[in-house]
Amino acid sequence: MGTYVPGTGEEQKELLKSLGVAGMEELFVTIPKEVRLNGPLKIPDGVSELQVRKKMAGTAGENRVFPSLFRGCGAYRHYIPSIVKQVAAKEEFMTAYTPYQAEISQGTLQAIFEFQTMICDLTGLNAANASVYDGCTAAAEAVIMCRERKRNKVLLSGALNPQIIETVKTYMAGTGTEIIVVPAADGVTDKTELKRLLDEKTACFLIQQPNHYGLLEDYEELGKLTKEAGAKYVMSCNPILLGILKTPGEYGADIAVGEGQSLGLSLSYGGPYLGFMAAVSELMRKLPGRIAGQTLDTRGEKAYVLTLQAREQHIRREKAASSICSNEALCALTASVYMSVMGKEGLRQAATLSMSKAHYLAEKLCGLEGFSMAYEGDYVNEFTTVYKGNTEKLLRGLEDYGILGGLPLKGEDRGKIIWCATELNSKEEIDELIDRIKEVQTHEAGI
Amino acid sequence: MGTYVPGTGEEQKELLKSLGVAGMEELFVTIPKEVRLNGPLKIPDGVSELQVRKKMAGTAGENRVFPSLFRGCGAYRHYIPSIVKQVAAKEEFMTAYTPYQAEISQGTLQAIFEFQTMICDLTGLNAANASVYDGCTAAAEAVIMCRERKRNKVLLSGALNPQIIETVKTYMAGTGTEIIVVPAADGVTDKTELKRLLDEKTACFLIQQPNHYGLLEDYEELGKLTKEAGAKYVMSCNPILLGILKTPGEYGADIAVGEGQSLGLSLSYGGPYLGFMAAVSELMRKLPGRIAGQTLDTRGEKAYVLTLQAREQHIRREKAASSICSNEALCALTASVYMSVMGKEGLRQAATLSMSKAHYLAEKLCGLEGFSMAYEGDYVNEFTTVYKGNTEKLLRGLEDYGILGGLPLKGEDRGKIIWCATELNSKEEIDELIDRIKEVQTHEAGI
Amino acid sequence: MKLVFEKTREGRGSVLLPPLDVPETELKACFKREKELHLEALPETDISRHYTELADRVYGVNNGFYPLGSCTMKYNPKVNDEVAGFSGFTDIHPLQPDYTVQGALKVLSEAEEYLGEITGMEHFTFQPAAGAHGEFTGLKLIKAYHEKQGDIKRNKIIVPDSAHGTNPASAAMAGFEVINIPSNEKGLVDVAALKRAVGEDTAGFMLTNPNTLGLFDENILEITRVVHEAGGLNYYDGANLNAIMGIARPGDMGFDVMHLNLHKTFSTPHGGGGPGSGPVGCKEILAPFLPLPRVKKDGGNYILSDEGEDSIGRVRGFYGNFLVVVRALTYILTLGGDGLKLTSQNAVLNANYLMEGLKDTYPVPFAGPCMHEFVISLEELKKETGVSALDMAKALLDYGVHPPTMYFPLIVHEAFMLEPTETESKENLDRVIAIYKELYEEARKNPEDIKNSPKKTVIGRPDEVMAARNPVIRYEFPSA
Amino acid sequence: MKLVFEKTREGRGSVLLPPLDVPETELKACFKREKELHLEALPETDISRHYTELADRVYGVNNGFYPLGSCTMKYNPKVNDEVAGFSGFTDIHPLQPDYTVQGALKVLSEAEEYLGEITGMEHFTFQPAAGAHGEFTGLKLIKAYHEKQGDIKRNKIIVPDSAHGTNPASAAMAGFEVINIPSNEKGLVDVAALKRAVGEDTAGFMLTNPNTLGLFDENILEITRVVHEAGGLNYYDGANLNAIMGIARPGDMGFDVMHLNLHKTFSTPHGGGGPGSGPVGCKEILAPFLPLPRVKKDGGNYILSDEGEDSIGRVRGFYGNFLVVVRALTYILTLGGDGLKLTSQNAVLNANYLMEGLKDTYPVPFAGPCMHEFVISLEELKKETGVSALDMAKALLDYGVHPPTMYFPLIVHEAFMLEPTETESKENLDRVIAIYKELYEEARKNPEDIKNSPKKTVIGRPDEVMAARNPVIRYEFPSA
């Protein structure tokens, strides 16, 4: 049995003795007998570090890591510079708690302040928080920020990542807020429908840049319509692409949110990830979660603290803006290091490479038998194709070559595949994908 | 092209300008034109971090990592606790130089002082240094320590790891020292021969515990003979096994050396490894390399410094005990962490597990067709078998199953294999080895 | 120290990405960002130094004693981090087909099984990313349950006044009205008040047990029965589970749903604020409402199942903070059943030893053997010397130990809530006791000195009022 | 702080290894250790804290400016460490068959090729584990060469007085007699003195170039010619190669053999003292004498060849500090030919900029454009104020920057030898210049203050004399 208790045996006895207690059981006398466990827990006996590492290595080995990957839809395999992982692994950052004691937590606090600044710079807005759980919950929190007594209708673009829609729905269920999904047409939000649905009861409209299908929408016009109805305009963005795309700030958005995983975090089967949130200054006090602020210390020197805590659960309890307490601080730090290493040029390069590779991939794919683009609009790093053959067989066939193809859609979108490319997909890899698709197609035709 | 130069382009120009220099070339005017390179270096163009990581990952992939390994002979795959790697990777330890400035290097210095203490405790001797290059050079340095004006003959046991013999020979070549290898008989040093060779000109006798063939020798008696001739007794030891074996100190050795790789360092195709050296107090000032010592600072507090520097090259130049300057400090730190995590119980456990597995393996092997023990003596974690079949085919066959068998010997020892087991070889793994050998034998017989 | 933005200039940086190897695609002007980014890259040397400097200004468990009550700042084992770094875990896409991620699904499935055994709950979801997120999810389950029964009038959640702030906040977020009830003179739930509070509108009752005073509620069975009889469900805030693993199980105490904090009880690092993981466990009756997808076994294979029409839906993208679950599972497998029990025993033993060592100097308002944590009051000290709990906390900083949770629970004045955890040795506890005693003497002799602390930290006390009144929450780049 | 031994007690520790799964073997009593080990295991919490505390007491390149002359303390890129950590490199046994380690042999072969191109040498061995080890190896080659020629009277190595201490020490170790020759008034080799020194007994001449004053010897071709004409060979100490990569090559200057310090020029971390790597390069005439085994190409495959009857033999186990070579190769591939040249250019540019910034305050005894490093003299300051170079170095510690190499080369009194390297930015250099100037003023105003420095470090100046007179080089465990 492994243990992290320093003193077993003799030492335990010493401690018990100094407490005047005969045995461990006596320490638990306040627990009613009826609820005390009689037997041992039915959990395998503990093992040595060597054994547990071996077992878990075996479990990890039961997962297939695809050397070549063309799938995104909310989780992206971008290049992670070596120094990013190395800095984020520093024990001090790893093993600290939330920076309640500012004097011995200036490192964490300054890092949050820097992260907030970077998110503001990326989004073109002026107030950001220290992070929330992930991109989906960031969207839900943004919707909560927008609710007003007289505005309890929330419009969601039908071209949002479905997980965002689902999460917002769960968050708002039973709170008296009406959630309406504005249908998509040709892969983008139907403007006419949006116009029809917007009214004086609308709290906000939430849209994605680029959207679930990879398309860029008419954010200018959609924002105008939303603002005209007096509703808040919320954009969910891909942070790396904000290196080149027009910002929520420029589009007049009130709030920008997004999934920060691309900024130096590994895929990790979905988590830990990083929800980021930024808003116009007027909404600063409505932001949920931790916010670091600058101030002065008793010596007159610059210092950082957690601030605007009056919004938070430990002060306001049931009247708090959100119940969030732990967030994704270490992921935010990781993203900060990533952005410091990349800088604006690096972000631009990552975005441009991803875009160019995606376009090359799309062109090559559409040169193949049975493939065509699902939609006509502009796209960046992701796009959707229609495939006339059997998508399942196609993708399984590619997996045998170590390639994870795009994401096959279900239901009415059956036959569509959302593809993604990043700077990690070399031309060679894309060309190989194309060759393999041909092989799979030939093979299938042959049988 | 990658670069770690912070300011290229504009900044370079600024600096040049402030120096009143027109271009880089002007900085190199003192280099005679005749020796200046005219063209670029014929080295592939530099690449991005992403590309170099990919290339090197490819190169690493061209090496075969054997999940199951039964080879030792100077490099051992022991279990490395997670915390060992984590501590040794700390940037401060990694990126510092030799602790010339004691005030800002107390961490390094104290770590060396602790390492020296641990090596003394392990070997039963009283003076250790901060490390030398590896086990072979440690042996060579020990021989140098023993040389005296009237004693210029060095005896080496014929059952030493051949690399030690070769290294000592290279070190001593041309220094007027005679190196004689005392032949081995039945896998151990021939006592009669040793007795014959020992005389008043003998500086030292060097022996290994356990020896190259895995055998324990009669260290008591060999030491007695050596001391009777007035020569120094030097033992090269396996540090993990010193957790259970009688120590050089107990055997009356003057110097103990060894390869410290087992103490938490990975195999790494042979390096970096760790040479350790300990000696009786009287020989302290003859030890080569760095030594950390305890002293007091101006505030009257305990402090650590590099000491006894009068032995060293930067003071004594050509009269120095050795030219060693850089040693294997980070490896010594790693070994210290390993020993702190393991403690005496852990070392004993590692030694005992290795020994028991080796004996189990030997028993199973000798139950197979064609296998027998090469020697009769006592062994610990390594032993030698004789195989009547084709050793090369046997080992190749095992490799196909992901098993690296023992080391086949060459020359007159052809047909012999030196096997090794550690705590990482589970019973299951050993049983599988045995089954696979049978399969290979059957297969071979079939053809 | 300077901000990262103040340490560089244009044109710096590393070459990380390869040149373009396909034709370049130009973004249409109308989609292009016009406002230039300010973010400048730093050269690696300076990044390395910047974050080393920041790390030097952070105090983590590896720096020393960290008895932050209710936060369970135990040692974070390195093997867990190493395992969570295996490529087989970090390099898999969350939308890979199930048959290519059997290992990942096994992790979730095994963790569900073992946490079920530890808590007495029958099902677990790992979607919640932190404790408060777990509370929110659990409360949504309660809501869905009552609605499914057609019992739509149940819209109130009862919460004791000693509860963590997240409890009422999560209840409100989940769309409930919050009813606070006071504690009794022993610091426990006032059962009479509870009885008065429950009724036809009671959706559920939330309890942290052992509570924030470190006390196990002796009336636990009566409490859960009262709530059940009124038609409500019982929610267990598992933040303090470190006291009772292998000793008692919320599932056996009448609780229907609960959350755990893997970053507390199960030793995963807190990262200076997160990532956490707040899995929610529940009894069979609530299982139909759990978030989707769920891991199921289909013959010998694991699958992610989307089936469950009564599900509350999704509370987060994908499946939660997966790598945190990997760490927690590694921890559970290392310790085994007996090891988990030993952990709780020693957590309680250490807390009692520390309390015993301090109680003659610092009054313990609610005495008796404590569980994993306890509360001392500095009220007397303040009356005598004017030195507050805050002052004492700041003075502790100069001794190189982390202060306890302060001013909580609210029912104790000038409170210090201490939770040493099981990973501290006797010597460490003895050293801390000595420091606290010395500090007490100091406070009586030189109160002004204490009020002016800390002195040895990199900053003095920051002006929090200034920060809140005139919030500066981002750096303003100098205009070009 | 306490030693690790003072922080634990018997019976502590972690469970790292599995129980025995085969029959236990008992060691015979006569082989058993009788003297009990003292080493006690620490629990992980305490190990983590102990080494964190030690790390806090170490200053590395990541902590700040580190201009240790001739040590080339440049930034250590993280990608190199990451690559060196690949399982394909760390988990291979040095005695695996060649066909299973083609990647490792490729690393050695490519590194040999590129270092050859950089230096103008034709062959390299990676067996030497550090610079001094390389010197020793290179000198052995020279010895073997002369012996092979039957030229056995050549037993002298000529070394300038500005040489690193390792040069004469290595020469002596290799069995040579050392002849020191003085520098001329420009700080360069006194060619006339060299001419007088060479003769029939000259085995070789060792030169560090650029020398420790940071000067490239303008007479380099004459020097090597003089030695060659006398029948000797020329050895190049490559410690200062960082100044001339892509600009000039020792092989083109008449040198026959040299070593490199991968842990200096090629950015591998020095680890607080090692591991280094000191590969030795040579011209074809010396190739037969190189240590064995050597990496060769056999068709499309790499092999380790043991052939070479004239080899000096082995200077270390296996093939050298392999993972250091992996790092260096990664560095070379990252930079490419042009990047290496840019590196040297900026190393020289930074040194000149720093020298220019300091020279009005601190005299530069041997002026002119320097290479990668330069020497300033504090002799005047000492005469005026009594403040020595040592005092100034200690005062620098309080400014948080690492002092330069002191009192070396010996030909300059109160010397400071500064090597900023190419990885420092202009701002860092400007900051350092400001600090040095401020310190100079301080020394003139308050010399006693400087003499009492450092004040902010964790210890004051240690008593080195006490340490050497009464050496305490191990902890004495209290007897049980």
Side-chain angles (χ1 to χ4, degrees), chain D residues 43-248:
Chain D
E44 269 199 44
T45 320
D46 294 332
I47 291 181
S48 174
R49 290 179 185 163
H50 182 69
Y51 288 99
T52 298
E53 208 178 339
L54 287 182
D56 280 348
R57 295 169 161 236
V58 178
Y59 184 100
V61 171
N62 69 313
N63 294 100
F65 192 60
Y66 211 131
L68 206 58
S70 277
C71 296
T72 314
M73 291 298 281
K74 59 171 71 175
Y75 175 70
N76 308 133
K78 301 305 165 201
V79 67
N80 301 352
D81 296 332
E82 189 178 358
V83 166
F86 288 159
S87 169
F89 292 135
T90 60
D91 296 336
I92 47 174
H93 194 284
L95 298 173
Q96 285 188 205
D98 296 350
Y99 52 85
T100 66
V101 287
Q102 288 294 298
L105 298 177
K106 187 192 209 174
V107 165
L108 296 171
S109 177
E110 287 192 358
E112 179 169 4
E113 181 189 341
Y114 300 144
L115 293 182
E117 173 64 16
I118 293 166
T119 58
M121 293 291 162
E122 289 161 291
H123 299 273
F124 265 92
T125 174
F126 292 97
Q127 226 172 60
H133 203 204
E135 294 172 9
F136 171 75
T137 307
L139 290 161
K140 282 280 185 191
L141 297 182
I142 291 175
K143 194 166 195 95
Y145 172 83
H146 291 308
E147 280 170 6
K148 183 74 183 177
Q149 312 294 314
D151 209 354
I152 51 166
K153 64 189 170 309
R154 297 197 176 269
N155 66 342
K156 291 194 174 62
I157 292 289
I158 303 170
V159 176
D161 60 358
S162 65
H164 296 129
T166 50
N167 290 3
S170 296
M173 255 186 111
F176 289 108
E177 197 179 309
V178 176
I179 307 295
N180 289 293
I181 59 164
S183 304
N184 67 16
E185 71 294 346
K186 287 173 153 181
L188 304 174
V189 172
D190 183 333
V191 182
L194 174 64
K195 282 181 179 159
R196 283 192 301 275
V198 295
E200 289 191 342
D201 57 358
T202 300
F205 172 68
M206 291 183 91
L207 184 69
T208 302
N209 183 58
N211 68 15
T212 49
L213 292 165
L215 304 174
F216 193 103
D217 205 305
E218 58 195 17
N219 306 313
I220 195 89
L221 288 173
E222 189 179 358
I223 291 166
T224 55
R225 199 179 55 238
V226 166
V227 175
H228 275 163
E229 281 172 4
L233 295 179
N234 289 298
Y235 185 99
Y236 191 95
D237 179 334
N240 292 345
L241 197 82
N242 207 42
I244 60 163
M245 288 187 293
I247 290 157

Side-chain angles (χ1 to χ4, degrees), chain A residues 391-410:
Chain A
T391 51
E392 200 174 304
K393 280 192 185 164
L394 173 77
L395 293 166
R396 282 237 187 193
L398 292 174
E399 287 162 19
D400 292 340
Y401 293 113
I403 300 170
L404 186 68
L407 185 77
L409 298 186
K410 292 173 189 166

